[in-house]
Amino acid sequence: MDGIMQQIAEHKGCGTSGGSGKASCGSSAGSGDLPTEIWEKVKNHPCYSEEAHHHYARMHVAVAPACNIQCNYCNRKYDCANESRPGVVSEKLSPEQAAKKVLAVASTIPQMTVLGIAGPGDPLANPEKTFKTFELISRTAPDIKLCLSTNGLALPDHVDTIAGFNVDHVTITINMVDPEIGARIYPWVFWKHKRYTGVEAAKLLTDRQLQGLEMLTERGILCKVNSVMIPGVNDRHLIEVNKAVKSRGAFLHNIMPLISAAEHGTVFGLTGQRGPSAQELKALQDSCEGEMNMMRHCRQCRADAVGLLGEDRSAEFTTDKIMAMEVDYDLEGRKAYQEKVEEERVAKVAAKQEELKILAGESSDIKLLIAVATKGSGLINEHFGHAKEFQVYELSTAGAKFVGHRRVDLYCQGGYGDEDSLETVIRAINDCHAVFVAKIGGCPKNDLIKAGIEPVDQFAHEFIEKSAIAWFKAYLDKVNAGEIVHEIRGDAEIRQGALINAA
């Protein structure tokens, strides 16, 4: 069995080593950690590389409205600008409209490297529209990576076509491998002109998902598995899902929190099913990371999202706007811009490695979290009051590790601070010892200090990881000198209603 596991892992570019059998690559991997062929696929894909997501953008086009399953956490909306979650779009597009939108976005945002189709239904329940869109994009913008996200029910029927369009990245949402658990998540699936319900439906779905995953990895297509963590339903079971998808060659596993606000109108939302807390989510991700690499930078994007992960610029590219645009697709200009981005990445990595030297010889067991306000590029370059989210890093003597993000409501409201929003920000980063910002006002600074969170603004516009390591070394020095006592922070709240496409 170990030999088979190694062959699967090597085929997809992830060798396994050590007693855990954990793949030695993943979203945090760099150019030295991966075979050249795999690195070329992921180096500028913001979803498949945590490091790339600080620098590169993606976009989704909403050409696939129909869906072939019903999930208790999903309520598709086709004309909604107020919610930031999967299955929601402001407008549906034809393949021709989508193709022009891609060119318009790529011309305006030269760091946009990936075009994904993720709904608002399922791309493979709309195969003609999905593959027509891929055909048009591959012809007019050959430098853009193509990917799709599917529930997997129809996946085995379309693997050859996916491979034929050189789609190198496919995401499959797999929430269970036990049909009894699946029956609590999926009321029905629709396959071959028949509706299935209950355990029968869940068994059909999981069998097709795992079959499709195996077929893709056999063809060398990188697969990411998304799983929604639903406390009391599949949270413990996701460890088994993790093992199952690893054994079938998945490149990454992305465990996401359930979005279950009642106002979204989902079954779980209306029945009061809660989502996980920040600590519950991190604990599950940590436990699965012992088996394979985890994606922790997912933003659970809308099906029409545009921009860097964590931002949404789709309002700039509505159909009426793009149809009026004269688009000049400057391929050479895009390449030149991206070469500059790569220079930034090299500088960032070098700065981190140099700063890590100051932790050499430290033997502390202390681990803690910090929050960071950033606009991207791996820099501390956002004002506290303007932040729509904070990136979260875990600091230890091993360095700084990205472990997630927290959506928040804007504190700054046109020149004044919203105290109600500040309370939600504090709850969202309550498990963090410090928050790193480019700038912060006196009032929020004082409230953060009272909450036990240190505001840190002396590293404005510096690299995140380099700055975090320097601050952590100073923190350890204070602990060792008896100036402060290290205390474990409490839990934090995962915000569901923030990061709305209107701010």
Side-chain angles (χ1 to χ4, degrees), residues 350-363:
K352 173 186 175 182
Q353 294 303 321
E354 183 65 27
E355 201 67 30
L356 272 173
K357 294 177 182 178
I358 69 173
L359 291 177
E362 293 284 351
S363 59

Side-chain angles (χ1 to χ4, degrees), residues 64-67 76-80 87-92 120-121:
C67 198
R76 293 181 296 281
K77 296 183 180 180
Y78 304 138
D79 58 354
C80 177
V88 172
V89 298
S90 294
E91 54 186 358
K92 292 177 286 186

Side-chain angles (χ1 to χ4, degrees), residues 21-44:
K22 177 182 174 183
S24 59
C25 65
S27 68
S28 61
S31 59
D33 303 314
L34 299 171
T36 302
E37 179 185 357
I38 304 300
W39 174 245
E40 288 300 317
K41 290 182 179 181
V42 305
K43 70 176 184 180
N44 61 356

Side-chain angles (χ1 to χ4, degrees), residues 54-280:
H54 298 285
H55 304 276
Y56 289 101
R58 75 347 183 179
M59 70 175 293
H60 296 165
V61 289
V63 298
C67 198
N68 49 7
I69 72 173
Q70 179 60 52
C71 310
N72 281 334
Y73 53 76
C74 182
N75 180 24
R76 293 181 296 281
K77 296 183 180 180
Y78 304 138
D79 58 354
C80 177
N82 302 319
E83 298 176 16
S84 182
R85 59 180 177 86
V88 172
V89 298
S90 294
E91 54 186 358
K92 292 177 286 186
L93 302 176
S94 68
E96 292 74 20
Q97 290 171 325
K100 182 163 186 181
K101 181 174 182 177
V102 171
L103 293 179
V105 171
S107 299
T108 307
I109 308 175
Q111 68 271 39
M112 194 282 283
T113 53
V114 174
L115 178 279
I117 301 178
D122 189 88
L124 301 182
N126 305 258
E128 295 83 6
K129 294 178 180 178
T130 294
F131 294 124
K132 180 63 175 180
T133 303
F134 283 156
E135 176 188 344
L136 295 172
I137 298 304
S138 61
R139 196 163 62 222
T140 56
D143 62 315
I144 293 178
K145 297 181 186 297
L146 304 177
C147 64
L148 63 83
S149 180
T150 176
N151 59 49
L153 180 63
L155 179 57
D157 302 330
H158 297 286
V159 169
D160 289 339
T161 307
I162 291 170
F165 278 104
N166 295 317
V167 177
D168 284 332
H169 308 80
V170 174
T171 295
I172 312 169
T173 298
I174 302 178
N175 295 313
M176 55 83 206
V177 290
D178 180 344
E180 295 288 343
I181 293 175
R184 301 172 63 187
I185 303 171
Y186 304 103
W188 55 261
V189 307
F190 190 80
W191 188 60
K192 289 190 174 180
H193 311 290
K194 179 179 178 182
R195 179 173 295 203
Y196 297 81
T197 60
V199 172
E200 184 182 21
K203 185 179 188 309
L204 173 62
L205 178 60
T206 188
D207 288 347
R208 299 277 293 174
Q209 289 173 333
L210 297 179
Q211 179 188 0
L213 173 59
E214 289 182 342
M215 292 173 70
L216 289 170
T217 57
E218 286 170 359
R219 286 163 173 77
I221 296 172
L222 295 185
C223 295
K224 174 168 66 71
V225 170
N226 284 354
S227 299
V228 179
M229 180 182 179
I230 311 165
V233 177
N234 72 342
D235 45 350
R236 296 182 181 179
H237 176 62
L238 286 181
I239 295 174
E240 297 305 314
V241 172
N242 180 264
K243 294 176 181 177
V245 300
K246 178 197 174 184
S247 72
R248 290 165 174 82
F251 183 74
L252 280 177
H253 192 189
N254 172 31
I255 297 180
M256 309 173 291
L258 172 70
I259 298 176
S260 59
E263 59 266 28
H264 296 157
T266 67
V267 171
F268 281 148
L270 295 174
T271 57
Q273 170 65 50
R274 73 174 181 88
S277 70
Q279 284 191 0
E280 288 172 333

Side-chain angles (χ1 to χ4, degrees), residues 398-421:
K401 174 185 176 182
F402 181 92
V403 295
H405 70 283
R406 307 288 166 75
R407 295 178 174 181
V408 296
D409 293 322
L410 277 175
Y411 169 69
C412 186
Q413 302 288 338
Y416 68 91
D418 185 336
E419 292 304 314
D420 290 338
S421 293

